[in-house]
Amino acid sequence: MNSQSNEQPCVSVSKSNWQTLERFVEIRSSWLTLIGEKLQDEQKQILDYWRVEKADSVVIITMQNDRFLLPKPSYRPGLGRTTLDFPGGRVLPEQTAVNAVPNILKRELGIEESEITSIHPLNQTGWAINSSFSNQTLYGVVAETVSEATVNPEKLTPNIYPTTAIGIDNLLRDLTCLQCRAVLLEWRQNI
């Protein structure tokens, strides 16, 4: 038998013996809920634990005429500076990631739903963003527009990134958002 196999190893997930003893704080806003709890671990140690509950999010790789469409860099309060990012946003509880795409592209790039020719999810279940601290998951989606779609130039980054190997490398150099980079790398791996 060949010792090298293409089969992925099976990961066993067991139920944890951790217990929630008390919720000592809960702060809700329209963006997130901050929760402080006392947890008992498997060794019976009692720990203060903080976590955030947030809506899932979607990052959209948007393409038109063999180039990526990205909004102008925007200010990110967590970093205190502007960054280049793919269009993206929250996925409301009553939505799927694919259903959220048209409204996000309209808001961020001025693209009408009728100008979107295809929407393809890169993952069917969300990827955990920070499973230790947050319940939020990330969906990656690829959206293509008709070649004559009108994109508001005031909303578009002036940099042009073709969907070529060099264009992808340049875009990876300019993206600082790990979520955007992960979605782009996932897409590149599957093309």
Side-chain angles (χ1 to χ4, degrees):
M1 176 174 213
N2 186 348
S3 64
Q4 298 212 347
S5 171
N6 289 333
E7 292 182 30
Q8 296 296 318
C10 181
V11 177
S12 175
V13 179
S14 63
K15 187 171 174 162
S16 172
N17 292 327
W18 287 57
Q19 294 180 4
T20 303
L21 302 176
E22 169 191 5
R23 182 173 288 188
F24 55 84
V25 71
E26 182 173 309
I27 302 170
R28 292 187 175 274
S29 79
S30 60
W31 287 95
L32 61 89
T33 300
L34 176 64
I35 298 169
E37 297 171 316
K38 290 204 180 289
L39 301 178
Q40 183 174 314
D41 69 10
E42 294 163 336
Q43 287 80 35
K44 307 289 185 204
Q45 296 177 20
I46 297 177
L47 309 165
D48 285 352
Y49 205 86
W50 293 86
R51 62 186 177 87
V52 170
E53 291 182 351
K54 294 177 73 173
D56 293 339
S57 60
V58 60
V59 169
I60 308 160
I61 295 176
T62 311
M63 295 182 288
Q64 179 187 50
N65 300 329
D66 298 321
R67 69 180 179 125
F68 297 105
L69 300 178
L70 292 100
K72 280 187 175 177
S74 59
Y75 182 76
R76 301 296 178 196
L79 296 175
R81 62 184 173 91
T82 60
T83 65
L84 180 66
D85 300 288
F86 283 112
R90 293 190 287 177
V91 178
L92 301 176
E94 66 274 7
Q95 290 181 310
T96 66
V98 169
N99 296 133
V101 169
N103 288 336
I104 293 169
L105 292 183
K106 173 71 174 161
R107 180 186 70 234
E108 295 200 16
L109 295 173
I111 296 172
E112 298 293 335
E113 185 171 1
S114 62
E115 297 175 312
I116 301 169
T117 59
S118 65
I119 300 173
H120 299 286
L122 292 172
N123 57 335
Q124 297 299 321
T125 58
W127 297 303
I129 293 175
N130 180 346
S131 61
S132 237
F133 183 67
S134 174
N135 69 324
Q136 186 182 27
T137 58
L138 171 68
Y139 292 88
V141 173
V142 176
E144 294 187 53
T145 70
V146 294
S147 60
E148 53 283 333
T150 305
V151 181
N152 185 339
E154 292 181 11
K155 292 186 172 206
L156 199 59
T157 185
N159 298 345
I160 295 174
Y161 299 96
T163 58
T164 62
I166 292 171
I168 293 168
D169 288 343
N170 288 337
L171 182 53
L172 283 167
R173 182 196 65 224
D174 293 346
L175 288 172
T176 58
C177 168
L178 185 57
Q179 294 174 24
C180 293
R181 291 174 59 81
V183 170
L184 181 59
L185 289 168
E186 182 74 17
W187 171 77
R188 182 174 73 176
Q189 177 180 324
N190 291 306
I191 56 172

Coordinates of all heavy atoms in Angstrom, one line a residue, residues 83-173:
T83 N -7.6 51.6 5.0 CA -7.1 50.4 4.4 C -7.9 50.1 3.2 O -9.0 50.4 3.0 CB -7.1 49.2 5.4 OG1 -8.5 48.9 5.7 CG2 -6.4 49.5 6.7
L84 N -7.2 49.3 2.3 CA -7.8 48.8 1.1 C -8.5 47.5 1.4 O -7.8 46.6 2.0 CB -6.8 48.6 0.0 CG -7.3 48.1 -1.3 CD1 -8.2 49.1 -2.0 CD2 -6.1 47.7 -2.2
D85 N -9.7 47.3 1.1 CA -10.5 46.1 1.4 C -11.4 45.7 0.2 O -11.8 46.6 -0.5 CB -11.3 46.3 2.7 CG -10.5 46.6 3.9 OD1 -9.8 45.7 4.4 OD2 -10.6 47.8 4.3
F86 N -11.8 44.5 0.1 CA -12.8 44.1 -0.8 C -14.2 44.6 -0.2 O -14.3 44.9 1.0 CB -12.9 42.6 -0.9 CG -11.9 41.9 -1.8 CD1 -10.9 41.2 -1.2 CD2 -11.9 42.2 -3.1 CE1 -9.9 40.6 -2.0 CE2 -10.9 41.6 -3.9 CZ -9.9 40.8 -3.4
P87 N -15.2 44.7 -1.0 CA -16.5 45.0 -0.5 C -16.9 43.9 0.5 O -16.6 42.8 0.3 CB -17.4 45.0 -1.7 CG -16.5 45.1 -2.9 CD -15.2 44.5 -2.5
G88 N -17.6 44.3 1.5 CA -18.1 43.3 2.5 C -19.0 44.0 3.5 O -19.3 45.2 3.5
G89 N -19.6 43.1 4.3 CA -20.5 43.6 5.3 C -21.1 42.4 6.1 O -20.7 41.3 6.0
R90 N -22.1 42.8 6.9 CA -22.7 41.8 7.8 C -23.8 41.0 7.0 O -24.4 41.5 6.1 CB -23.4 42.6 8.9 CG -22.4 43.2 9.9 CD -23.1 43.7 11.1 NE -23.9 44.9 10.9 CZ -24.7 45.5 11.7 NH1 -24.8 45.0 13.0 NH2 -25.4 46.6 11.4
V91 N -23.9 39.8 7.5 CA -25.0 38.9 7.0 C -26.0 38.9 8.1 O -25.8 38.4 9.2 CB -24.5 37.5 6.7 CG1 -25.6 36.6 6.2 CG2 -23.4 37.6 5.6
L92 N -27.2 39.4 7.8 CA -28.3 39.5 8.8 C -28.8 38.1 9.1 O -28.7 37.2 8.2 CB -29.4 40.4 8.4 CG -28.9 41.9 8.1 CD1 -30.0 42.7 7.6 CD2 -28.3 42.5 9.4
P93 N -29.4 37.9 10.3 CA -29.8 36.5 10.6 C -30.8 35.9 9.6 O -30.8 34.7 9.4 CB -30.5 36.7 12.0 CG -29.9 37.9 12.6 CD -29.5 38.8 11.4
E94 N -31.6 36.8 9.0 CA -32.6 36.3 8.0 C -32.0 36.1 6.6 O -32.8 35.7 5.7 CB -33.9 37.2 8.0 CG -33.6 38.6 7.5 CD -33.1 39.6 8.5 OE1 -32.8 39.2 9.6 OE2 -33.0 40.7 8.1
Q95 N -30.8 36.4 6.4 CA -30.1 36.3 5.1 C -29.1 35.1 5.0 O -28.7 34.6 6.0 CB -29.3 37.6 4.8 CG -30.0 38.8 4.6 CD -29.1 40.0 4.3 OE1 -28.1 40.2 5.1 NE2 -29.3 40.7 3.3
T96 N -28.8 34.8 3.8 CA -27.6 34.0 3.5 C -26.5 35.0 3.0 O -26.8 36.1 2.6 CB -27.9 33.0 2.4 OG1 -28.1 33.6 1.2 CG2 -29.1 32.1 2.8
A97 N -25.3 34.5 3.0 CA -24.2 35.3 2.5 C -24.5 35.8 1.0 O -24.3 36.9 0.7 CB -22.9 34.6 2.6
V98 N -25.0 34.9 0.2 CA -25.3 35.2 -1.2 C -26.4 36.2 -1.3 O -26.3 37.2 -2.1 CB -25.6 33.9 -2.0 CG1 -26.2 34.2 -3.4 CG2 -24.4 33.0 -2.1
N99 N -27.4 36.1 -0.5 CA -28.5 37.1 -0.5 C -28.0 38.5 -0.1 O -28.6 39.5 -0.5 CB -29.6 36.7 0.4 CG -30.3 35.5 0.0 OD1 -30.6 34.6 0.9 ND2 -30.6 35.3 -1.2
A100 N -26.9 38.6 0.7 CA -26.4 39.9 1.2 C -25.6 40.6 0.1 O -25.5 41.9 0.2 CB -25.6 39.7 2.4
V101 N -25.1 39.9 -0.9 CA -24.2 40.5 -1.8 C -24.8 41.7 -2.6 O -24.1 42.7 -2.7 CB -23.7 39.4 -2.8 CG1 -22.9 40.0 -4.0 CG2 -22.8 38.4 -2.0
P102 N -26.0 41.6 -3.2 CA -26.4 42.7 -4.0 C -26.5 44.1 -3.3 O -26.1 45.1 -3.8 CB -27.8 42.3 -4.5 CG -27.7 40.8 -4.5 CD -26.9 40.5 -3.3
N103 N -27.0 44.0 -2.0 CA -27.1 45.3 -1.3 C -25.7 45.9 -0.9 O -25.5 47.1 -1.0 CB -27.9 45.1 0.0 CG -29.4 44.9 -0.3 OD1 -29.9 45.4 -1.3 ND2 -30.1 44.3 0.6
I104 N -24.8 45.0 -0.6 CA -23.4 45.4 -0.3 C -22.8 46.0 -1.5 O -22.1 47.1 -1.5 CB -22.6 44.3 0.3 CG1 -23.2 43.9 1.6 CG2 -21.1 44.7 0.4 CD1 -22.6 42.6 2.2
L105 N -22.9 45.4 -2.7 CA -22.3 45.9 -3.9 C -22.9 47.2 -4.3 O -22.3 48.1 -4.8 CB -22.3 44.9 -5.0 CG -21.4 43.7 -4.8 CD1 -21.5 42.8 -6.0 CD2 -20.0 44.0 -4.5
K106 N -24.2 47.4 -4.1 CA -24.9 48.7 -4.4 C -24.4 49.8 -3.5 O -24.0 50.9 -3.9 CB -26.4 48.5 -4.2 CG -27.2 49.8 -4.3 CD -27.2 50.3 -5.7 CE -28.2 51.5 -5.8 NZ -27.9 52.3 -7.0
R107 N -24.2 49.5 -2.2 CA -23.8 50.4 -1.2 C -22.3 50.8 -1.4 O -21.9 52.0 -1.4 CB -24.0 49.9 0.2 CG -23.5 50.8 1.3 CD -23.6 50.2 2.7 NE -22.5 49.2 2.8 CZ -22.8 47.9 3.2 NH1 -24.0 47.5 3.5 NH2 -21.8 47.1 3.3
E108 N -21.4 49.8 -1.7 CA -20.0 50.1 -1.7 C -19.5 50.5 -3.1 O -18.4 51.2 -3.1 CB -19.3 48.9 -1.1 CG -19.6 48.7 0.4 CD -18.6 47.9 1.1 OE1 -17.4 47.7 0.6 OE2 -18.9 47.5 2.2
L109 N -20.1 50.0 -4.1 CA -19.6 50.3 -5.5 C -20.6 50.9 -6.4 O -20.2 51.3 -7.5 CB -19.0 49.0 -6.1 CG -17.8 48.4 -5.4 CD1 -17.5 47.0 -6.1 CD2 -16.6 49.3 -5.5
G110 N -21.8 51.0 -6.0 CA -22.9 51.5 -6.9 C -23.3 50.6 -8.0 O -23.9 51.0 -8.9
I111 N -23.1 49.3 -7.8 CA -23.4 48.3 -8.8 C -24.9 47.8 -8.5 O -25.2 47.4 -7.4 CB -22.5 47.1 -8.8 CG1 -21.1 47.5 -9.2 CG2 -23.0 46.0 -9.7 CD1 -20.0 46.5 -9.0
E112 N -25.7 47.9 -9.6 CA -27.1 47.4 -9.5 C -27.2 45.9 -9.5 O -26.3 45.3 -10.2 CB -27.9 48.0 -10.6 CG -28.0 49.5 -10.6 CD -28.8 50.1 -9.4 OE1 -29.6 49.4 -8.9 OE2 -28.5 51.3 -9.1
E113 N -28.2 45.4 -8.9 CA -28.3 43.9 -8.9 C -28.5 43.3 -10.3 O -27.9 42.3 -10.6 CB -29.6 43.5 -8.0 CG -29.7 42.0 -7.9 CD -30.8 41.6 -6.9 OE1 -31.5 42.5 -6.3 OE2 -31.0 40.4 -6.7
S114 N -29.1 44.1 -11.2 CA -29.3 43.6 -12.5 C -28.0 43.5 -13.3 O -27.9 42.9 -14.4 CB -30.3 44.5 -13.3 OG -29.8 45.8 -13.3
E115 N -26.9 44.2 -12.8 CA -25.6 44.2 -13.5 C -24.7 43.0 -13.0 O -23.6 42.9 -13.5 CB -24.9 45.5 -13.2 CG -25.7 46.7 -13.9 CD -25.1 48.0 -13.5 OE1 -24.8 48.3 -12.4 OE2 -24.9 48.8 -14.5
I116 N -25.2 42.3 -12.0 CA -24.4 41.2 -11.5 C -24.8 39.9 -12.3 O -25.9 39.5 -12.4 CB -24.7 40.9 -10.0 CG1 -24.4 42.2 -9.1 CG2 -23.9 39.7 -9.4 CD1 -24.9 42.1 -7.7
T117 N -23.7 39.3 -12.9 CA -24.0 38.1 -13.7 C -23.9 36.8 -13.0 O -24.6 35.8 -13.3 CB -23.0 38.1 -14.9 OG1 -21.7 38.0 -14.5 CG2 -23.2 39.3 -15.9
S118 N -23.1 36.8 -11.9 CA -23.0 35.6 -11.2 C -22.5 35.9 -9.7 O -21.8 36.8 -9.5 CB -22.0 34.6 -11.8 OG -20.7 35.1 -11.9
I119 N -22.9 35.0 -8.8 CA -22.5 35.1 -7.4 C -22.2 33.6 -7.0 O -23.1 32.8 -7.1 CB -23.6 35.7 -6.5 CG1 -24.0 37.1 -6.9 CG2 -23.2 35.6 -5.1 CD1 -25.2 37.7 -6.2
H120 N -20.9 33.4 -6.7 CA -20.5 32.0 -6.3 C -19.9 32.0 -4.9 O -18.9 32.7 -4.7 CB -19.5 31.5 -7.3 CG -19.9 31.4 -8.7 ND1 -20.8 30.4 -9.1 CD2 -19.7 32.2 -9.8 CE1 -21.1 30.6 -10.4 NE2 -20.4 31.7 -10.8
P121 N -20.5 31.3 -4.0 CA -19.9 31.2 -2.6 C -18.6 30.4 -2.7 O -18.5 29.4 -3.4 CB -20.9 30.5 -1.8 CG -21.8 29.8 -2.8 CD -21.7 30.6 -4.1
L122 N -17.6 30.8 -1.9 CA -16.3 30.0 -1.8 C -16.4 29.0 -0.7 O -15.7 28.1 -0.6 CB -15.2 31.0 -1.5 CG -14.8 31.9 -2.7 CD1 -13.7 32.9 -2.2 CD2 -14.3 31.1 -3.9
N123 N -17.4 29.2 0.3 CA -17.6 28.3 1.4 C -19.1 28.3 1.7 O -19.7 29.3 1.6 CB -16.7 28.6 2.6 CG -17.0 30.0 3.1 OD1 -17.4 30.9 2.4 ND2 -16.8 30.2 4.4
Q124 N -19.6 27.1 2.0 CA -21.0 26.9 2.3 C -21.3 27.2 3.8 O -22.4 27.6 4.2 CB -21.5 25.5 2.0 CG -21.4 25.2 0.5 CD -22.2 26.2 -0.4 OE1 -23.3 26.6 0.0 NE2 -21.7 26.6 -1.5
T125 N -20.3 26.9 4.7 CA -20.4 27.2 6.1 C -19.3 28.2 6.4 O -18.2 28.2 5.8 CB -20.2 26.0 7.0 OG1 -19.0 25.4 6.7 CG2 -21.3 24.9 6.7
G126 N -19.6 29.1 7.2 CA -18.7 30.2 7.5 C -17.4 29.7 8.2 O -17.4 28.7 8.9
W127 N -16.3 30.4 7.9 CA -15.0 30.1 8.6 C -15.0 30.9 9.9 O -15.4 32.1 9.9 CB -13.8 30.6 7.8 CG -13.7 29.9 6.4 CD1 -13.5 28.6 6.2 CD2 -13.6 30.5 5.1 NE1 -13.4 28.3 4.9 CE2 -13.4 29.5 4.2 CE3 -13.7 31.9 4.7 CZ2 -13.3 29.8 2.8 CZ3 -13.6 32.1 3.4 CH2 -13.4 31.1 2.4
A128 N -14.6 30.3 11.0 CA -14.5 31.0 12.3 C -13.4 32.1 12.2 O -12.3 31.8 11.7 CB -14.1 30.0 13.4
I129 N -13.8 33.3 12.6 CA -12.9 34.4 12.6 C -11.9 34.4 13.8 O -10.7 34.5 13.7 CB -13.6 35.7 12.5 CG1 -14.3 35.8 11.1 CG2 -12.6 36.9 12.7 CD1 -15.2 37.0 10.9
N130 N -12.5 34.2 15.0 CA -11.7 34.1 16.2 C -12.5 33.3 17.2 O -13.2 33.8 18.0 CB -11.4 35.5 16.7 CG -10.5 35.4 18.0 OD1 -10.4 34.4 18.6 ND2 -10.0 36.6 18.4
S131 N -12.5 32.0 17.0 CA -13.4 31.1 17.8 C -13.2 31.1 19.3 O -14.0 30.7 20.0 CB -13.2 29.7 17.3 OG -11.9 29.2 17.5
S132 N -12.1 31.7 19.8 CA -11.8 31.8 21.2 C -12.6 33.0 21.8 O -13.0 32.9 22.9 CB -10.4 32.0 21.4 OG -9.8 31.1 22.3
F133 N -12.8 34.0 20.9 CA -13.3 35.3 21.4 C -14.7 35.6 20.8 O -15.4 36.4 21.4 CB -12.3 36.4 21.2 CG -12.7 37.7 21.7 CD1 -12.8 38.0 23.0 CD2 -13.0 38.8 20.8 CE1 -13.2 39.2 23.5 CE2 -13.4 40.0 21.2 CZ -13.5 40.2 22.6
S134 N -15.0 35.0 19.7 CA -16.2 35.5 19.0 C -16.9 34.3 18.3 O -16.3 33.3 17.9 CB -15.8 36.5 17.9 OG -16.9 36.9 17.1
N135 N -18.2 34.4 18.1 CA -19.0 33.5 17.4 C -19.1 33.8 15.9 O -19.6 33.0 15.2 CB -20.4 33.4 18.0 CG -21.2 34.7 17.7 OD1 -20.7 35.8 17.6 ND2 -22.5 34.5 17.4
Q136 N -18.5 34.9 15.5 CA -18.7 35.4 14.1 C -17.9 34.5 13.1 O -16.8 34.0 13.4 CB -18.1 36.8 14.0 CG -18.3 37.4 12.7 CD -17.7 38.8 12.6 OE1 -16.7 39.1 13.2 NE2 -18.3 39.6 11.7
T137 N -18.6 34.2 12.0 CA -18.0 33.5 10.9 C -18.0 34.4 9.7 O -18.7 35.3 9.5 CB -18.8 32.2 10.6 OG1 -20.1 32.5 10.3 CG2 -18.7 31.2 11.8
L138 N -17.1 34.0 8.8 CA -16.8 34.7 7.6 C -17.2 33.9 6.3 O -16.8 32.7 6.3 CB -15.3 35.1 7.5 CG -14.8 35.7 6.2 CD1 -15.4 37.1 6.0 CD2 -13.3 35.8 6.2
Y139 N -17.9 34.5 5.4 CA -18.2 33.8 4.1 C -17.4 34.6 3.0 O -17.3 35.8 3.1 CB -19.7 33.9 3.8 CG -20.5 33.1 4.8 CD1 -20.9 33.6 6.0 CD2 -20.8 31.7 4.5 CE1 -21.7 32.8 6.9 CE2 -21.5 31.0 5.4 CZ -22.0 31.5 6.5 OH -22.7 30.7 7.4
G140 N -16.9 33.8 2.1 CA -16.3 34.4 0.9 C -17.1 34.1 -0.3 O -17.7 33.1 -0.5
V141 N -17.3 35.2 -1.1 CA -18.2 35.1 -2.3 C -17.5 35.8 -3.4 O -16.8 36.8 -3.3 CB -19.5 35.8 -2.0 CG1 -20.4 35.9 -3.2 CG2 -20.3 35.1 -0.9
V142 N -17.6 35.2 -4.6 CA -17.1 35.8 -5.8 C -18.3 36.3 -6.6 O -19.3 35.6 -6.9 CB -16.3 34.8 -6.7 CG1 -15.9 35.4 -8.0 CG2 -15.1 34.3 -5.9
A143 N -18.3 37.6 -7.0 CA -19.4 38.2 -7.8 C -18.8 38.7 -9.1 O -17.7 39.4 -9.1 CB -20.1 39.3 -7.1
E144 N -19.4 38.5 -10.2 CA -19.0 39.0 -11.5 C -20.1 39.9 -12.0 O -21.2 39.6 -11.9 CB -18.6 37.9 -12.5 CG -17.4 37.1 -12.0 CD -16.9 36.1 -13.0 OE1 -16.7 36.5 -14.2 OE2 -16.8 34.9 -12.7
T145 N -19.6 41.0 -12.7 CA -20.6 41.9 -13.3 C -20.5 41.9 -14.8 O -19.5 41.4 -15.4 CB -20.3 43.4 -12.8 OG1 -19.1 43.8 -13.4 CG2 -20.2 43.5 -11.3
V146 N -21.6 42.4 -15.4 CA -21.6 42.5 -16.9 C -20.5 43.5 -17.2 O -20.1 44.4 -16.5 CB -22.9 43.0 -17.4 CG1 -24.0 42.0 -17.2 CG2 -23.3 44.3 -16.8
S147 N -19.9 43.4 -18.4 CA -18.8 44.2 -18.8 C -19.1 45.7 -18.9 O -18.2 46.5 -18.7 CB -18.2 43.7 -20.1 OG -19.1 43.7 -21.1
E148 N -20.4 46.0 -19.2 CA -20.7 47.4 -19.3 C -21.4 48.0 -18.0 O -21.9 49.0 -18.1 CB -21.6 47.6 -20.5 CG -22.8 46.8 -20.7 CD -22.6 45.4 -21.1 OE1 -21.6 45.1 -21.8 OE2 -23.4 44.5 -20.8
A149 N -21.3 47.2 -16.9 CA -21.8 47.7 -15.6 C -21.2 49.1 -15.3 O -20.0 49.3 -15.4 CB -21.6 46.7 -14.5
T150 N -22.0 50.0 -14.8 CA -21.6 51.3 -14.4 C -21.1 51.2 -12.9 O -21.9 50.8 -12.1 CB -22.7 52.3 -14.5 OG1 -23.2 52.3 -15.8 CG2 -22.2 53.7 -14.2
V151 N -19.9 51.5 -12.7 CA -19.3 51.5 -11.4 C -19.0 53.0 -11.1 O -18.3 53.7 -11.9 CB -18.0 50.7 -11.3 CG1 -17.5 50.7 -9.9 CG2 -18.3 49.2 -11.7
N152 N -19.5 53.5 -10.0 CA -19.3 54.8 -9.6 C -17.8 55.1 -9.4 O -17.2 54.5 -8.4 CB -20.1 55.1 -8.3 CG -20.1 56.6 -7.9 OD1 -19.2 57.3 -8.3 ND2 -21.0 57.0 -7.1
P153 N -17.2 55.9 -10.2 CA -15.7 56.1 -10.1 C -15.3 56.8 -8.8 O -14.2 56.6 -8.3 CB -15.4 57.0 -11.3 CG -16.6 57.6 -11.7 CD -17.7 56.7 -11.3
E154 N -16.3 57.5 -8.1 CA -16.0 58.1 -6.8 C -15.9 57.1 -5.7 O -15.4 57.4 -4.7 CB -17.0 59.2 -6.5 CG -16.9 60.4 -7.5 CD -18.0 61.4 -7.1 OE1 -18.6 61.4 -6.1 OE2 -18.1 62.4 -7.9
K155 N -16.5 55.9 -5.9 CA -16.5 54.9 -4.9 C -15.3 53.9 -5.2 O -15.0 53.1 -4.3 CB -17.8 54.1 -4.9 CG -18.9 55.0 -4.4 CD -20.2 54.2 -4.3 CE -21.3 55.0 -3.6 NZ -22.2 54.2 -2.9
L156 N -14.7 53.9 -6.3 CA -13.8 52.9 -6.7 C -12.3 53.3 -6.4 O -12.0 54.5 -6.6 CB -13.9 52.7 -8.2 CG -13.3 51.4 -8.8 CD1 -14.0 50.2 -8.3 CD2 -13.6 51.4 -10.4
T157 N -11.5 52.4 -5.9 CA -10.1 52.7 -5.7 C -9.4 53.0 -7.1 O -9.8 52.4 -8.1 CB -9.3 51.5 -5.1 OG1 -8.0 51.9 -4.8 CG2 -9.3 50.3 -5.9
P158 N -8.5 53.9 -7.1 CA -7.9 54.3 -8.4 C -6.9 53.2 -8.9 O -6.6 53.2 -10.0 CB -7.2 55.6 -8.1 CG -6.9 55.6 -6.6 CD -8.1 54.8 -6.0
N159 N -6.5 52.3 -8.0 CA -5.5 51.3 -8.4 C -6.2 50.2 -9.2 O -7.4 49.8 -8.8 CB -4.9 50.6 -7.1 CG -4.1 51.6 -6.3 OD1 -3.8 52.7 -6.8 ND2 -3.8 51.3 -5.1
I160 N -5.6 49.7 -10.2 CA -6.2 48.7 -11.0 C -5.4 47.4 -10.8 O -4.2 47.3 -10.8 CB -6.1 49.1 -12.5 CG1 -7.0 50.3 -12.8 CG2 -6.5 47.9 -13.4 CD1 -6.9 50.8 -14.2
Y161 N -6.2 46.3 -10.4 CA -5.6 45.0 -10.2 C -6.2 44.0 -11.1 O -7.4 43.6 -10.9 CB -5.9 44.6 -8.7 CG -5.3 45.5 -7.7 CD1 -6.1 46.5 -7.1 CD2 -4.0 45.4 -7.3 CE1 -5.5 47.4 -6.2 CE2 -3.5 46.2 -6.3 CZ -4.2 47.2 -5.8 OH -3.7 48.0 -4.8
P162 N -5.5 43.6 -12.2 CA -6.0 42.6 -13.1 C -6.1 41.2 -12.4 O -5.4 41.0 -11.4 CB -5.0 42.6 -14.2 CG -3.8 43.2 -13.7 CD -4.2 44.1 -12.6
T163 N -6.9 40.3 -12.9 CA -7.0 39.0 -12.3 C -5.9 38.1 -12.7 O -6.1 36.9 -12.6 CB -8.4 38.4 -12.6 OG1 -8.6 38.4 -14.0 CG2 -9.5 39.3 -12.0
T164 N -4.8 38.6 -13.1 CA -3.6 37.8 -13.5 C -2.8 37.5 -12.2 O -3.0 38.0 -11.2 CB -2.7 38.6 -14.4 OG1 -2.3 39.8 -13.8 CG2 -3.5 39.0 -15.7
A165 N -1.8 36.6 -12.4 CA -0.9 36.2 -11.3 C -0.2 37.5 -10.7 O -0.2 37.6 -9.5 CB 0.1 35.2 -11.7
I166 N 0.3 38.4 -11.6 CA 0.9 39.6 -11.1 C -0.1 40.5 -10.4 O 0.2 41.1 -9.3 CB 1.6 40.3 -12.3 CG1 2.8 39.5 -12.7 CG2 2.1 41.7 -11.9 CD1 3.5 40.0 -14.0
G167 N -1.3 40.6 -11.0 CA -2.3 41.5 -10.3 C -2.7 41.0 -9.0 O -2.8 41.7 -8.0
I168 N -2.8 39.6 -8.8 CA -3.1 39.0 -7.5 C -2.0 39.3 -6.5 O -2.2 39.6 -5.4 CB -3.4 37.5 -7.7 CG1 -4.7 37.3 -8.5 CG2 -3.6 36.8 -6.3 CD1 -4.9 35.9 -9.0
D169 N -0.8 39.1 -7.0 CA 0.4 39.3 -6.1 C 0.4 40.8 -5.6 O 0.7 41.1 -4.4 CB 1.7 39.0 -6.8 CG 1.9 37.5 -6.9 OD1 1.2 36.7 -6.2 OD2 2.7 37.1 -7.7
N170 N 0.2 41.7 -6.5 CA 0.1 43.2 -6.2 C -1.0 43.5 -5.2 O -0.8 44.2 -4.2 CB 0.0 44.0 -7.4 CG 1.3 44.1 -8.2 OD1 2.4 43.8 -7.7 ND2 1.2 44.4 -9.5
L171 N -2.1 42.8 -5.4 CA -3.3 43.0 -4.5 C -3.0 42.5 -3.1 O -3.2 43.1 -2.1 CB -4.5 42.4 -5.1 CG -5.8 42.6 -4.3 CD1 -6.1 44.1 -4.0 CD2 -7.0 42.0 -5.1
L172 N -2.4 41.3 -3.1 CA -2.0 40.7 -1.8 C -1.0 41.6 -1.1 O -1.1 41.7 0.2 CB -1.4 39.3 -2.0 CG -2.4 38.2 -2.3 CD1 -1.7 36.9 -2.7 CD2 -3.3 37.9 -1.0
R173 N -0.1 42.3 -1.8 CA 0.8 43.2 -1.2 C 0.1 44.4 -0.5 O 0.5 44.9 0.5 CB 1.8 43.7 -2.2 CG 2.9 44.6 -1.7 CD 3.6 45.4 -2.8 NE 2.7 46.3 -3.4 CZ 2.5 46.4 -4.7 NH1 3.3 45.8 -5.6 NH2 1.6 47.3 -5.2

